Amino acid sequence: MLYLIDKLMGRKRLTINENERAIWLYKGELRGLLGAGEHVLPNWRKQLRVERMALSSAAFVSVYEKALFEKVPDQAGAHLTQYRTGTNEIAVIECDGQIHSVLSPDSKLTVWTDAGPWKAELVQLDTNPVIAPALLQRLIKAGVASLLNQVRIVEVDKGQVGLLTVDGQMVGELTPGVTGYWMVGQKVAVKIVDLTRQPLDVTGQELLTKDRVTLRINISAQYRVVDPVKAVTEVKDFSDALYRALQYAFRKTLGAMTLDQILDKQVTVDAEAAQKVRSDMAAIGLEVSEIILKDVILPGEMRELLNQVVSAQKAAEANVIKRREETNATRSLLNTAKVMADNPVMLRLKELEALESIAGKVDRLTVNNGTSGLMNDIVKLTED
């Protein structure tokens, strides 16, 4: 019966469920929003149009959004909530205690009020782009798709520091741990600097000595960053700066010396060059500890010549030692002869010692004594 009456009167009854809302238009004109319940709407010649929208989507997306707030602001205000961000703001939107979305600067989001409760947290980007740790954990847990282009997560390991810059200006340091920061509305970057001790090798460096000998040298150094801000801002690449400083210092020091001086005073050369490097690197925030001139490599033909020189020197030293030993032996014999000449008994004792030694090796031995002494007759020795 109601259906016939409504049809005769050009009306239509419409039921909206609790989990939905609807926009209705009549004769092409926006009339308003419909909440849950039964509604009787005009429908002459079937000119009523209704768009049902589920509250489960939470966000309100419609071509009629602007018209709703202009034509039926009371109804729009009763059913919809709008969030807006300024030029340097980000808004974290929560729905029923869970993060729903993140608004970039100069953005707007309209949601169904009844899908909430809703809450928005505004973040001022011009103060600090770093995300509070608690909020970062919630954002990661929520896995909001819009965060892919809005948040960057940086992990700083133990022994490292992260230098944070915003629009090219240094704004702070990130300590070890996981840190997130906003990537929207400004250019944000993080440079990780290792603060642990690092090795650096400079190998195969050629140089010309004062006496025009071409050498190749290998240098080894140990360094660490003690002032990361200086190390990053004073030079483009601090490890490259150290590499070049080692090259220059050793080239300059060794190039002013002859080959013999380099080989003879290598330790002194190390100290002079190292002091120059340490002083220059301290100015850019580096502490250089061990610096070693590991190898001095000569060309093949120069090595052969040097080996010949060394061999000749060693041979000459050996000859000197041999002559010295011969001289000492001769002097010792001369001294012994003098002692025996002054002491005939001693001479005879030496003769007996010699006889004893010889007697053990022969069957028969005849000894003629001198003009005087201990032996007067022929001595015959036979083995037992």
Side-chain angles (χ1 to χ4, degrees), residues 22-26 29-34 41-42 48-50:
I23 297 174
W24 70 285
L25 300 88
Y26 183 61
E29 182 182 357
L30 177 68
R31 292 299 183 90
L33 281 168
L34 302 176
L41 305 174
L48 173 65
R49 181 184 170 191
V50 177

Side-chain angles (χ1 to χ4, degrees), residues 193-268:
V193 179
D194 197 327
L195 302 180
T196 60
R197 196 167 299 282
Q198 301 288 319
L200 182 69
D201 292 323
V202 181
T203 60
Q205 297 300 304
E206 291 192 355
L207 59 89
L208 190 66
T209 64
K210 185 177 180 180
D211 51 352
R212 306 191 67 78
V213 177
T214 301
L215 302 177
R216 282 193 300 117
I217 60 172
N218 296 331
I219 309 164
S220 177
Q222 295 279 337
Y223 75 96
R224 70 184 184 95
V225 178
V226 293
D227 190 332
V229 176
K230 267 189 176 183
V232 170
T233 56
E234 293 292 331
V235 292
K236 184 177 181 180
D237 185 331
F238 54 80
S239 62
D240 183 64
L242 174 56
Y243 188 95
R244 294 181 182 279
L246 288 168
Q247 277 185 318
Y248 177 77
F250 277 84
R251 282 177 182 274
K252 183 177 180 181
T253 303
L254 301 181
M257 303 177 71
T258 64
L259 175 60
D260 289 341
Q261 289 174 327
I262 293 173
L263 297 177
D264 185 49
K265 301 178 180 180
Q266 184 169 328
V267 175
T268 305

Side-chain angles (χ1 to χ4, degrees), residues 334-355:
L334 179 61
N335 292 335
T336 301
K338 289 181 179 179
V339 170
M340 290 183 177
D342 296 338
N343 193 338
V345 176
M346 178 66 72
L347 176 60
R348 295 309 177 188
L349 287 175
K350 284 295 182 180
E351 290 178 354
L352 288 174
E353 287 179 0
L355 288 173

Side-chain angles (χ1 to χ4, degrees), residues 16-57:
I16 304 298
N17 299 320
E18 286 288 349
N19 64 343
E20 63 181 5
R21 297 293 182 267
I23 297 174
W24 70 285
L25 300 88
Y26 183 61
K27 295 182 179 181
E29 182 182 357
L30 177 68
R31 292 299 183 90
L33 281 168
L34 302 176
E38 185 179 69
H39 303 272
V40 179
L41 305 174
N43 190 27
W44 288 107
R45 298 180 181 179
K46 297 183 179 181
Q47 295 188 71
L48 173 65
R49 181 184 170 191
V50 177
E51 289 188 9
R52 294 176 180 268
M53 306 180 76
L55 291 182
S56 59
S57 65

Side-chain angles (χ1 to χ4, degrees), residues 295-312:
D295 304 301
V296 177
I297 304 169
L298 297 170
E301 62 275 10
M302 183 58 67
R303 284 200 302 271
E304 293 178 4
L305 290 174
L306 188 60
N307 287 335
Q308 292 176 10
V309 170
V310 172
S311 297

